[in-house]
Amino acid sequence: MANLQDLTEAVIKGDEDKIKLTILELLNAGTPAKEIMDDGLIAGMNIVGGKMETEEMFIPEVLMSAKAMSAGVEILKPQLTDEENAASGTMILGTVQGDLHDIGKNLVKMLMEGAGFSVIDLGTDVPPAAFVDAIKEHNADIVAMSALLTTTMPKMKETMEAMENAGIRDQVKVLVGGAPVTENYADEIGADGYGYDAGSAVRIAKEYMTN
Amino acid sequence: MTTICSNQQALNSPLAKKLSEDQCRKLYWACLEILERTGVQLFEQEAVDLLKKAGAHISDGNRVRIPAGLVEKAFATAPKKITLCDRNGKRVIQAGGHQSYFGTGSDCLNILDHRTGERRQAVLKDIEEGMKLCDALEHIDFVMSMFLPSDVPQETLDRYEMEAMLNYTTKPIIYVTTEFSGCMDAVKMAEIVAGGPDALAQNPVAACYINVTTGLRHNKEALQKLLYLSEKGLPFTYIPSAQGGVTAPITIASTMAVNNAGVLAGLVISQLKREGAPFIMPGWGGNMLDMRTTIQPYADPEKRGQAIDFAHFLGIPTFGLAGCSESKLVDEQAAAEAALTLFTDAIFGGNFVHDVGYLESGLCGSLPQLAICNEILSWLDAFMKGIEISDETLCLDLIDEIGPEGQYLDCRHTLDHFRERWYPNLFDRSSYDGWQAKGGKSLGERAVEDVDRILQEHKPEPLPKDIAKAVHKVTEDAESKI
Ligand code: B12
């Protein structure tokens, strides 16, 4: 008989088949979908996150777990109420205008998706207005901006101003990151948070969703 | 000036190789296959048009598939040797083949302040001091800005960098600019210093460092710079940054194939724009992303050597990368990584070897670390020399004359030759007591003192006042446009 512990371990191993099978067994046995999600999948991903921060697990392994977990979430989704589904959150993500660095941003995207967020990726060289439009269109919870150049960091501020002007600043949490960005800079431009790597980005985004 | 050159005397000076000629050929064919089959995306219309006219296949507007013959043709006109001059027009760098020159990296956001020991954001003054130090250090052959100035308007920071380099050292320059307009302004400044566009093309004092998004995706600014500099006949690097496991497959061979397909695409475009355009390719191959920390490692052992072999096979000068470290401090790791990477580039024969003195994977720099690298380069300069085995150097007559019981300390021959041997400057060879008598200091502490002394004593030759003023005007003009 499958239990939640098996599911957690399958997430850590990134074993997609095992995850799907275990979820079906658990659902058949009458385990509530919400419990499978929280105490099986998310619990597993939390352990993966921890192992990533202590450098026990490498990024490709983490991504494998994240991908496997997403496959599990797909099965669970129809079983969850709208309210339960919404809890995971929608994130708008992009590298700011003038900046083409996207490796860090892509890592953030993949880990966010692994953590159950739905991520709208606007790509690189994203003008402030495009962020604003996307927030409106997708009714986003979080906006995440990446910048790798001191010359493009000011675009983060401009994007904040554009959100302000469009009257949507208070609807979203703003998260910033990238090598030259600092906690101080995030404070200075009035962003809600700063993440020094993709793992911390996930941690902070999750905090926003639980509060 | 360093005279490091591997393979300089047949079988008589150090030389290393990782790839055989057939391996290079296989890699080259892989690049050609990628160009013909997968093609590259070019975000600059003029480049697409040039290739179309030359016979390349265009689809989706900017996806270009380049036939192998165009690449072969480009090799016929690309120079195998590239000259850079000092600020006075002296042709001090002849890079190509196995001849190695060493220089700093650019744009470190932070500096490990040698006066306070604190890590802080870099400012313009740090670049000025860095250039002064480079000007004095014997084994630094060319300069890049070292730091990124946080205290100037960021839109024009590249103009301030170029100005500081031109003002505080006479050594050749490799400049980086964020956008295309900055590149044109850097050329403008170099032309003022050289005495006009023709003088600069003949005796270039500066080369441009161009980065490209990935091997198969070429951003607009990169192509604009390539076309502009090719037309002017000025030297530039063309460095796509395919990263194994992220923007290219994780294996070294495959990352190199993807990256160098991009290099060859750039080479073809440059030679189509102007035959003979001086083109410099990357001297490291198989960049990775550290899958534990998500850092791009600079001192990674596995990316070293093979790209230099490949460039020698193609006959194109390289932009090497060494003297750098992942360490956050000027510590044992920093010294070890700097020494090992400089050693490998010297022995393989990289040409313009940059990033000397980098810490923290390119995000921090340190003047004492640069002084330590200068000492390592001095060691390498001595190591890389061939040994003369001749009647003169064997001096059998002298051996016979002195006989088994004599000694050589007070011989004329010893007096004539002992200064030919290498002596350290920063590395310590004292006895324990002697070392203590000098203060019992570590290498790091001695390097700090050396830097302080040089900054106090060394006076770089200033730019003539009117020239400095004209150069500054370029910065002012750029500023007034924002
Ligand atoms: C790879 C690279 C490139 C590649 C980018 C390829 C690509 N597809 O992204 C190429 C070669 C194209 C490139 C180009 C340039 N680059 Co560059 N590049 C780098 C390098 C070496 C590594 C960046 C990287 O990918 N790191 C790996 C990733 C995983 O790390 P990361 O991006 O920092 O992301 C992590 C965190 O920061 C965080 N994070 C990132 N984004 C976000 C967002 C949020 C919301 C959160 C919470 C967290 C977060 O999580 C990520 C994962 O842990 C850095 C040096 C460095 N050490 O950072 C220079 C560097 C950033 N580049 C620099 C420069 C100068 C340039 C160029 C201007 C050079 C030129 N003239 O051609 C151009 C600019 C092009 C442009 N318009 O954008 C300078 C920056 C100077 C400055 N002004 O600030 C640097 C610092 C190098 C240096 N010391 O000179 N570059």
Side-chain angles (χ1 to χ4, degrees), chain A residues 55 58-59 100 103 150-151, chain B residues 148 154 178 243 291-293:
Chain A
E55 300 184 4
F58 288 37
I59 297 294
L100 301 174
I103 294 167
T150 55
T151 47
Chain B
L148 184 139
Q154 293 299 292
T178 324
Q243 219 171 19
M291 298 293 186
R292 276 192 306 204
T293 61

Side-chain angles (χ1 to χ4, degrees), chain B residues 62-81:
Chain B
N62 71 347
R63 179 85 170 262
V64 184
R65 291 180 173 80
I66 303 174
L70 282 181
V71 180
E72 295 284 321
K73 197 175 154 215
F75 284 121
T77 52
K80 297 190 165 41
K81 181 211 81 170

Side-chain angles (χ1 to χ4, degrees), chain B residues 66-110:
Chain B
I66 303 174
L70 282 181
V71 180
E72 295 284 321
K73 197 175 154 215
F75 284 121
T77 52
K80 297 190 165 41
K81 181 211 81 170
I82 290 177
T83 304
L84 275 191
C85 299
D86 70 12
R87 215 180 59 197
N88 297 320
K90 196 164 157 221
R91 298 167 72 85
V92 287
I93 289 185
Q94 307 277 346
H98 288 253
Q99 187 73 50
S100 300
Y101 299 91
F102 295 84
T104 47
S106 75
D107 296 295
C108 285
L109 299 171
N110 304 294

Side-chain angles (χ1 to χ4, degrees), chain B residues 13 19 55 84 98 120 143 154 170 212 297 343 393 426-427 471:
Chain B
S13 65
L19 298 183
L84 275 191
H98 288 253
R120 58 163 173 82
V143 297
Q154 293 299 292
T170 55
V212 187
F343 179 78
T393 59
L426 281 183
F427 291 166
V471 166

Side-chain angles (χ1 to χ4, degrees), chain B residues 110-350:
Chain B
N110 304 294
I111 180 169
L112 210 54
D113 188 324
H114 75 282
R115 296 185 178 98
T116 62
E118 166 209 21
R119 174 185 181 271
R120 58 163 173 82
Q121 282 197 335
V123 293
L124 187 59
K125 182 97 192 339
D126 296 320
I127 302 184
E128 294 170 356
E129 289 194 337
M131 292 308 109
K132 211 167 143 181
L133 180 65
C134 288
D135 197 62
L137 292 177
E138 187 184 349
H139 298 279
I140 297 301
D141 304 313
F142 64 87
V143 297
M144 294 181 74
S145 73
M146 295 185 74
F147 304 105
L148 184 139
S150 61
D151 57 342
V152 305
Q154 293 299 292
E155 295 86 343
T156 47
L157 71 88
D158 39 20
R159 277 71 160 191
Y160 283 91
E161 289 179 350
M162 187 68 179
E163 218 188 310
M165 291 190 281
L166 285 167
N167 271 296
Y168 287 85
T169 178
T170 55
K171 293 188 177 176
I173 292 168
I174 299 186
Y175 57 92
V176 182
T177 76
T178 324
E179 284 164 19
F180 178 46
S181 59
C183 173
M184 291 191 289
D185 278 353
V187 169
K188 217 183 267 172
M189 291 184 187
E191 285 176 350
I192 292 170
V193 168
D198 285 348
L200 183 68
Q202 258 179 36
N203 292 317
V205 60
C208 180
Y209 169 86
I210 307 179
N211 254 168
V212 187
T213 315
T214 69
L216 305 187
R217 219 167 68 211
H218 297 231
N219 52 310
K220 190 174 182 69
E221 294 85 32
L223 287 164
Q224 283 175 317
K225 289 174 191 170
L226 170 140
L227 290 165
Y228 175 75
L229 294 165
S230 294
E231 178 158 42
K232 284 188 158 273
L234 296 173
F236 57 88
T237 73
Y238 200 66
I239 316 284
S241 160
Q243 219 171 19
V246 186
T247 53
I250 185 79
T251 44
I252 289 171
S254 191
T255 306
M256 279 188 76
V258 170
N259 213 45
N260 283 296
V263 170
L264 295 179
L267 181 78
V268 170
I269 300 165
S270 71
Q271 301 307 307
L272 286 175
K273 181 70 184 176
R274 176 180 174 153
E275 291 185 351
F279 184 98
I280 306 164
M281 68 182 279
W284 64 96
N287 258 349
M288 69 179 283
L289 183 74
D290 182 306
M291 298 293 186
R292 276 192 306 204
T293 61
T294 72
I295 291 296
Q296 181 182 303
Y298 278 61
D300 173 30
E302 291 175 312
K303 72 177 181 194
R304 326 202 71 82
Q306 60 270 18
I308 299 175
D309 288 342
F310 186 54
H312 286 154
F313 171 83
L314 298 177
I316 302 290
T318 55
F319 193 53
L321 181 156
C324 41
S325 171
E326 263 62 72
S327 181
K328 319 295 169 285
L329 304 169
V330 180
D331 63 355
E332 294 80 355
Q333 180 184 342
E337 286 180 332
L340 288 166
T341 54
L342 287 171
F343 179 78
T344 43
D345 265 45
I347 200 164
F348 276 81

